[in-house]
Amino acid sequence: MTSFSHQAGTDEPARARLPLPTGTFFGFIAAVAGIVAMALVSMHMLRESADAVDLVEQRHKVAIEVRNVLGALKDAETGQRGFLLSGNAEHLDVYRQGTATLPGALERLRGLVADHPGQSQRVDALQRTAQARMGEIDEVLELFEQRRRDDALAQVANNRGKLKMDQAREIIAGIQQAEATYLAERQAELKHRQRLAMAITVIGSVLLCLLVFAAAYTASRDFRARERETWLRRSLADLAAALQQAVDPAGVATAAVSFLARRARAAVGAIYVRHLDGGPQFVRMGGHALPEDAPSTITEGHGLPGQSALERRFTVVNGLDAEHLPVTSAVGRSRPSSVVCCPATFEGSAEAVLGLGFVGHAPADVLELLQRSEYMLGLALRNAAERERTRTLLARTRSQAEELQ
């Protein structure tokens, strides 16, 4: 059994594995990454803003509960003082209200500062001080109820209660100061993060815009390149169809200069074909909008088209001082701004020289079209010349045969 194996040649072109051109693909990837990054930054900012609102609300609650604790102590103290001075039991309602409010306010305050060890220690100290002060108030009221009014007043006059209240106020001031400091630090940190996030957003937006513009430029460049290549291939196919309809060198030359001048939008054009004897003389066999005094022949190596034929070199000349291929009309005559000399070569020989004149500079795609058409035009002219020589030889052979008869 015969087995066949196929091994790709080392010169096989690599196929693209990406769905888009490399630059465009990675540009879109970078743009998507930028959008995701900015979305993450925005989400982070929203969370930071929500945390800031919660922080301010929590600090506000702390301030309320601190005032409730201090207010409860004041109510208890005020009720005690009023009852001692007047003996009216109605003053004890204020005392009872403070006594009932204090435990709940302390408990809520403890829960609000539970995540701050320093504040929790201050709340513990405040609770001990408040309980000690409430114990003194209860002791004074108990002495008064036992009809030991002098002992009760003496207990009030020793300033122990005032010292406890001053201590409670000092602790409360420390709590409030710590809360204000913590809030200021968090707000400063939040502002710093906001500035950082804003900078990231601005930089990301600028980079995203640049990436979008770069992707658009790359896509536009690729699109223009494809359109240009399509135009070139279609133009070469149309030129080949036009040349195939001609049978002799004059017909090929006329078809070539007529088609290329129109397709290139040249103002004037001429084509000079090498004489059938293969000498240095080139005969004009076609033209487009040529003036009457245009030269009918050129010599290889003389003048701009002759030098282009000799060197077989594509030549573009801009800003001419002399009148090369002048542009004429019913209202006047002027020189072209740009002249292109395109030698039609085949097997190292210039079969013809095509000259086109443009009012402005010749576009780059037109120059590439002319360069790509050199070999096609040279081949068509060589074949037409061979057919012409064959016809000439056949005609000469028939003539000689007729003379012999």
Side-chain angles (χ1 to χ4, degrees):
M1 178 180 295
T2 304
S3 62
F4 297 91
S5 62
H6 173 73
Q7 183 176 0
T10 57
D11 57 346
E12 181 179 352
R15 299 179 61 183
R17 298 180 179 272
L18 299 177
L20 293 171
T22 304
T24 305
F25 178 77
F26 286 107
F28 279 116
I29 292 296
V32 171
I35 293 174
V36 172
M38 285 191 293
L40 293 176
V41 171
S42 299
M43 293 175 60
H44 179 70
M45 282 294 300
L46 290 175
R47 287 197 299 268
E48 288 288 339
S49 299
D51 292 343
V53 173
D54 294 341
L55 176 65
V56 172
E57 184 178 356
Q58 187 175 11
R59 300 288 77 79
H60 181 65
K61 291 180 179 179
V62 170
I64 291 175
E65 297 304 330
V66 165
R67 287 195 297 268
N68 288 338
V69 171
L70 184 60
L73 290 174
K74 288 181 178 179
D75 289 343
E77 191 177 59
T78 301
Q80 177 214 47
R81 186 179 297 110
F83 178 69
L84 292 178
L85 294 176
S86 63
N88 188 353
E90 293 181 356
H91 291 283
L92 294 178
D93 293 339
V94 179
Y95 159 76
R96 295 187 185 96
Q97 181 179 356
T99 303
T101 302
L102 183 61
L106 285 170
E107 189 64 27
R108 290 190 296 273
L109 181 60
R110 185 184 304 280
L112 291 172
V113 300
D115 54 343
H116 301 289
Q119 290 289 71
S120 297
Q121 294 176 2
R122 293 186 184 92
V123 172
D124 291 339
L126 178 61
Q127 184 175 14
R128 290 193 297 270
T129 302
Q131 289 175 347
R133 177 56 182 148
M134 294 299 291
E136 292 176 357
I137 293 174
D138 292 341
E139 182 181 352
V140 171
L141 292 176
E142 191 174 326
L143 290 174
F144 195 84
E145 289 177 356
Q146 295 174 1
R147 300 183 181 278
R148 298 169 58 186
R149 186 172 183 276
D150 294 337
D151 294 337
L153 293 176
Q155 190 79 358
V156 173
N158 62 13
N159 286 333
R160 289 170 53 193
K162 181 178 180 302
L163 293 177
K164 292 295 182 183
M165 286 298 295
D166 291 343
Q167 186 178 359
R169 289 188 178 93
E170 183 179 353
I171 296 173
I172 289 174
I175 294 175
Q176 292 174 333
Q177 180 62 36
E179 287 295 311
T181 302
Y182 177 71
L183 180 60
E185 291 176 352
R186 287 299 305 272
Q187 287 179 337
E189 181 181 356
L190 178 62
K191 289 181 180 179
H192 173 70
R193 292 182 179 180
Q194 287 177 339
R195 288 193 295 267
L196 180 61
M198 182 63 67
I200 293 174
T201 302
V202 171
I203 295 174
S205 300
V206 172
L207 291 177
L208 181 59
C209 290
L210 292 177
L211 288 172
V212 170
F213 285 135
Y217 170 78
T218 303
S220 175
R221 182 191 61 191
D222 295 340
F223 173 76
R224 290 195 305 268
R226 289 193 300 269
E227 288 293 307
R228 178 182 181 183
E229 186 62 27
T230 300
W231 180 83
L232 288 170
R233 292 182 178 180
R234 185 172 60 248
S235 298
L236 290 174
D238 294 342
L239 174 61
L243 296 179
Q244 287 177 357
Q245 297 177 1
V247 296
D248 58 354
V252 172
T254 301
V257 69
S258 178
F259 175 84
L260 290 174
R262 289 196 308 270
R263 188 58 58 94
R265 297 183 179 180
V268 63
I271 185 168
Y272 293 86
V273 181
R274 188 183 293 275
H275 197 274
L276 291 177
D277 61 7
Q281 293 295 320
F282 288 77
V283 181
R284 177 164 54 84
M285 291 189 178
H288 174 79
L290 282 175
E292 295 180 355
D293 57 348
S296 58
T297 61
I298 61 172
T299 304
E300 189 174 30
H302 295 275
L304 186 63
Q307 191 66 28
S308 178
L310 177 64
E311 298 178 356
R312 298 184 299 279
R313 184 178 62 184
F314 188 86
T315 306
V316 180
V317 181
N318 298 316
L320 299 175
D321 295 329
E323 291 190 357
H324 294 77
L325 291 176
V327 180
T328 60
S329 65
V331 295
R333 177 187 181 104
S334 63
R335 66 175 181 269
S337 301
S338 177
V339 170
V340 178
C341 292
C342 175
T345 60
F346 181 75
E347 294 183 350
S349 174
E351 299 294 326
V353 178
L354 173 67
L356 296 177
F358 297 85
V359 175
H361 291 291
D365 52 353
V366 168
L367 297 179
E368 186 169 354
L369 172 62
L370 295 175
Q371 288 179 313
R372 290 191 185 187
S373 63
E374 289 180 358
Y375 178 79
M376 181 188 300
L377 182 55
L379 176 61
L381 287 171
R382 174 66 67 86
N383 291 336
E386 293 296 334
R387 288 194 298 268
E388 186 69 19
R389 292 190 184 96
T390 301
R391 282 196 298 269
T392 301
L393 290 175
L394 287 175
R396 185 179 301 172
T397 301
R398 291 193 190 100
S399 177
Q400 289 175 355
E402 290 175 356
E403 290 178 359
L404 289 175
Q405 292 177 358

